[in-house]
């Protein structure tokens, strides 16, 4: 097996959405007692993180209530960087899904759909989530219609390499609403999706188990069978 890390490290340099708390740390003891102890402050929706249904719906499952079996499964990876290019307002559309399925078959039930827009090349730069004059960030995301098609495929969850599943130019969060209302999880700011094949990888996306929280940082990895890929 080859293991691919799909997670960004957290640090003071991690860019966060303007409404969220940036990462900071405090060294409480620096080996004076034989070990080092650190405290940290951060948003629950920072870096590579998972959105639970309660992120939008008060009665939806919280991070600690998402079944662990839902957080792992075969990956269906849509590579869209050649279509997205530098279009910060690109929306994944139904045609993108249909083109993938023409080549690879219907997206399997209980799989995890990962959307590689190529926007990860801007990670660590302001353009990754840079607000315009109106304070709205622009980055690629998923159209409402495409979200509804993925919902019909009965997948476990959806991940993307941008800072949000909805196009940054939109504020109503249609894709969030479509997915989270039906109990799916969402993962944002994913790394290294370009290293995954369209199908054949098995992914684990494991959030911090924080009681009652709507979001949490994750450690996400993919396993590739070298005999098959």
């Amino acid at each position: 097996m080859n293991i691919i890390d799909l997670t960004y490290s957290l640090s003071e340099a991690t860019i966060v959405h303007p409404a969220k708390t940036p990462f900071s740390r405090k060294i409480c003891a620096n080996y004076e007692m034989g070990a080092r102890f650190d405290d940290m402050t951060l948003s629950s929706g920072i870096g590579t993180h998972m959105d639970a249904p309660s992120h939008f719906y008060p009665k939806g499952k919280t991070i600690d209530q998402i079944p662990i079996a839902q957080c792992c499964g075969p990956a269906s990876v849509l590579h869209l960087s050649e279509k997205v290019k530098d279009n910060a307002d690109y929306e994944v559309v139904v045609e993108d899904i249909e083109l993938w399925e023409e080549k690879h078959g219907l997206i399997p039930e209980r799989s995890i759909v990962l959307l590689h827009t190529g926007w990860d090349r801007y990670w660590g730069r302001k353009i990754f989530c840079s607000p315009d004059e109106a304070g709205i960030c622009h980055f690629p995301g998923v159209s409402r219609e495409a979200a509804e098609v993925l919902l019909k495929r009965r997948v476990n969850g959806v991940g993307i390499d941008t800072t949000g599943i909805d196009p940054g130019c939109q504020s109503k969060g249609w894709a969030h609403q479509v997915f989270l209302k039906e109990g799916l999880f969402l993962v944002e700011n994913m790394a290294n999706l370009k290293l995954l094949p369209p199908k054949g990888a098995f992914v684990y996306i494991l959030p911090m188990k924080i009681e009652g929280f709507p979001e949490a940082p994750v450690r996400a990895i993919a396993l590739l069978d070298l005999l098959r890929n």
Side-chain angles (χ1 to χ4, degrees):
M1 288 289 181
N2 185 21
I3 302 176
I4 305 296
D5 193 349
L6 307 178
T7 316
Y8 288 111
S9 297
L10 294 177
S11 74
E12 290 83 351
T14 301
I15 295 175
V16 298
H17 189 278
K20 296 182 177 181
T21 302
F23 178 94
S24 64
R25 79 180 79 204
K26 175 185 177 182
I27 300 177
C28 303
N30 201 9
Y31 301 107
E32 295 90 347
M33 295 182 288
R36 174 172 159 170
F37 303 101
D38 288 29
D39 283 345
M40 64 179 176
T41 301
L42 72 165
S43 166
S44 60
I46 193 173
T48 310
H49 68 276
M50 179 181 288
D51 292 348
S54 64
H55 184 41
F56 267 56
Y57 297 98
K59 295 184 179 180
K61 290 182 178 178
T62 55
I63 281 291
D64 56 306
Q65 294 173 334
I66 296 176
I68 198 70
Q70 186 178 344
C71 299
C72 54
S76 299
V77 186
L78 277 65
H79 291 286
L80 303 169
S81 60
E82 290 301 314
K83 293 187 67 174
V84 175
K85 296 184 177 179
D86 292 322
N87 183 3
D89 295 328
Y90 185 88
E91 296 186 25
V92 178
V93 294
V94 174
E95 181 185 12
D96 294 325
I97 300 171
E98 292 174 342
L99 288 173
W100 189 95
E101 293 186 329
E102 286 179 10
K103 295 180 180 179
H104 308 290
L106 204 66
I107 292 175
E109 290 188 14
R110 294 186 295 279
S111 65
I112 296 175
V113 174
L114 303 179
L115 304 169
H116 170 228
T117 70
W119 212 247
D120 56 334
R121 67 185 180 279
Y122 296 127
W123 178 255
R125 297 166 57 184
K126 289 184 178 180
I127 190 175
F128 188 78
C129 181
S130 181
D132 59 21
E133 294 180 356
I136 299 174
C137 284
H138 289 255
F139 46 82
V142 181
S143 70
R144 182 176 184 175
E145 294 76 15
E148 290 172 345
V149 169
L150 292 177
L151 187 64
K152 292 178 181 177
R153 300 298 184 265
R154 304 177 65 86
V155 299
N156 278 352
V158 180
I160 196 167
D161 58 358
T162 69
T163 197
I165 199 72
D166 282 282
C169 58
Q170 296 185 4
S171 59
K172 293 185 178 181
W174 291 121
H176 274 88
Q177 293 183 45
V178 169
F179 291 130
L180 298 179
K181 185 177 181 179
E182 299 302 323
L184 278 69
F185 66 78
L186 302 174
V187 186
E188 298 161 339
N189 297 327
M190 299 194 74
N192 295 322
L193 295 185
K194 64 183 178 182
L195 301 179
L196 303 184
K199 61 186 301 184
F202 196 91
V203 294
Y204 295 85
I205 304 177
L206 304 178
M208 295 175 63
K209 193 175 182 181
I210 311 173
E211 184 176 349
F213 265 49
E215 301 176 289
V218 303
R219 189 62 185 267
I221 64 170
L223 302 183
L224 304 182
D225 188 339
L226 297 181
L227 297 177
R228 306 176 90 182
N229 297 286

